[in-house]
Amino acid sequence: MSVRKRKWTTAKGVEREAWIVDYVDGKGARRLKTFAKKKEADAFEATATVEIREGTHVADSDSTTVKKAGDLWIKACDGLERSTRNQYRQHLDLHIVPFIGAEKLSKLNIPTVRSFEDQLRRGNSDLPAEDPRRAPRSPAMIRKILGSLGSLLADAQERGLTVRNVVRDMRGKRRKGKERKAERRQKGKIKVGVDLPTREEVKAIVGAVEGRWRPLLLTAIFTGLRASELRGLRWSDVDFDKRAIRVHQRADRFNEIGQPKSEAGERTVPAPPIVINTLREWKLVCPKRPTGKLDDNGELIMQLELVFPNGLGKVESLANIINRGLMPAQVAAGVVVDTGEKDADGKPIMKARYTGMHCLRHFFASWCINRVADGGLGLPPKVVQERLGHSSIMMTMDVYGHLFPRGDDAEELAAAERALLA
């Protein structure tokens, strides 16, 4: 391997010079790589020498583009959930390819990825409305896109298409704790009455909700199950004797049944009497699923399977749960906000205060943490983490840490002491 200067004259008579690295790669093929500065050529020589010795070197001509590597990566994701595959495909087609799809993997470096990150954050208002590079991306979306790019490069590494995963190199040099604090500061803390209902609002909802939505919403409020876990819950996972609910599966956004979000998502959650008693009554009228088989009398055999199915005994859609269950229950309970509009009679039009099922999961977490107000002791962070099915205690504390009683909170400590000594 050698580094030498090359001089030449262009067709217009202009003298040019560059530095050439002349080497033989691991396959025995002769390669030439040109640099404007000697120090760049020397740096490449040093790196390439080590890579060739270790058998990891990939020449530019053998490398592929980000787009082609992305297509291979997507094909390798066939075993993942449909919603995950769709999200990866959107990251690739709408965010990665428009900016760096034509770049060779071998030419990606940390400055290139940082520039890509800046472009995502900045956008370009001068581009046409239909151009995917026009709109700026949110910090949360940028983080997800970079995560997908890192997975793409990891797949390319395994295929021998690139030596480095520059996304992971870049993240390794960043102070993750500082980034996490900045993200929390931007998002802000979840607030009672804004992100989750107050105790009074929950009492009003419990008193107002009726029909097939009552058992579902009560279970959501007092067990903290995710909406996907509620939709995939089976009667075989409800233990009436032990007053507990086991989470072993979930229904994704496409109504497909699969494993919980993580290993920690598979858990057992105690259910209070109001939930158990309501589920006992609901089981008597719960819609059954047709099995496709006939009994001895030629009648279609129906089977009781899902706890909260649609009218045909199949997975209920999240849209129905929210639009036909959660929203009307809030309106009936008076848990509403003014839209600023008026109806034909001049009366203000009100709408439900909370728009997603996750608000009830937030309430459950708050209820577990601050049960001293109910005459009991609040649960410690580790127990709250287990009941929510979080994969780490850090996740629980990032979201709910500010809700735990502080050591300087005299009123909370006094209430806890009274409950303990009672």
Side-chain angles (χ1 to χ4, degrees), residues 230-380:
L230 291 165
R231 294 165 58 231
L233 187 65
R234 300 167 296 188
W235 282 111
S236 59
D237 293 326
V238 179
D239 192 326
F240 289 104
D241 294 331
K242 295 182 178 180
R243 296 197 302 187
I245 291 176
R246 295 182 293 270
V247 181
H248 289 304
Q249 66 177 30
R250 59 187 281 266
D252 67 13
R253 57 185 292 191
F254 301 102
N255 299 336
E256 294 179 0
I257 298 294
Q259 295 296 315
K261 289 187 66 176
S262 65
E263 184 178 351
E266 193 164 335
R267 63 199 188 278
T268 298
V269 183
I274 187 174
V275 172
I276 293 298
N277 294 336
T278 302
L279 290 180
R280 286 185 190 276
E281 298 174 359
W282 169 241
K283 190 174 183 179
L284 300 176
V285 295
C286 178
K288 297 180 178 181
R289 178 183 66 83
T291 63
K293 300 179 181 179
L294 302 178
D295 60 18
D296 295 336
N297 297 322
E299 298 289 337
L300 184 63
I301 298 176
M302 306 294 286
Q303 181 177 341
L304 197 62
E305 184 177 7
L306 296 177
V307 179
F308 306 116
N310 61 17
L312 300 177
K314 299 181 180 180
V315 177
E316 181 63 275
S317 72
L318 179 60
N320 276 348
I321 293 174
I322 294 175
N323 296 328
R324 299 183 182 181
L326 179 65
M327 300 291 205
Q330 292 181 73
V331 174
V335 182
V336 294
V337 293
D338 194 337
T339 64
E341 300 177 356
K342 295 184 179 181
D343 60 18
D345 297 327
K347 296 181 179 179
I349 298 176
M350 312 299 286
K351 67 176 182 179
R353 179 180 295 274
Y354 307 99
T355 57
M357 288 292 291
H358 216 72
C359 71
L360 302 183
R361 181 169 162 84
H362 284 326
F363 171 80
F364 172 76
S366 173
W367 179 62
C368 288
I369 292 167
N370 295 294
R371 287 194 300 179
V372 289
D374 297 325
L377 288 176
L379 300 178

Side-chain angles (χ1 to χ4, degrees), residues 1 23-26 47-57:
M1 185 175 295
Y23 69 100
V24 176
D25 67 11
T47 302
T49 299
V50 175
E51 292 175 353
I52 292 172
R53 185 168 61 245
E54 295 178 347
T56 60
H57 181 70

Side-chain angles (χ1 to χ4, degrees), residues 386-408:
E386 292 171 353
R387 295 196 178 178
L388 290 172
H390 283 164
S391 57
S392 70
I393 190 67
M394 183 63 70
M395 182 183 300
T396 305
M397 296 305 292
D398 276 353
V399 180
Y400 304 111
H402 63 288
L403 297 179
F404 284 90
R406 303 182 308 274
D408 61 348

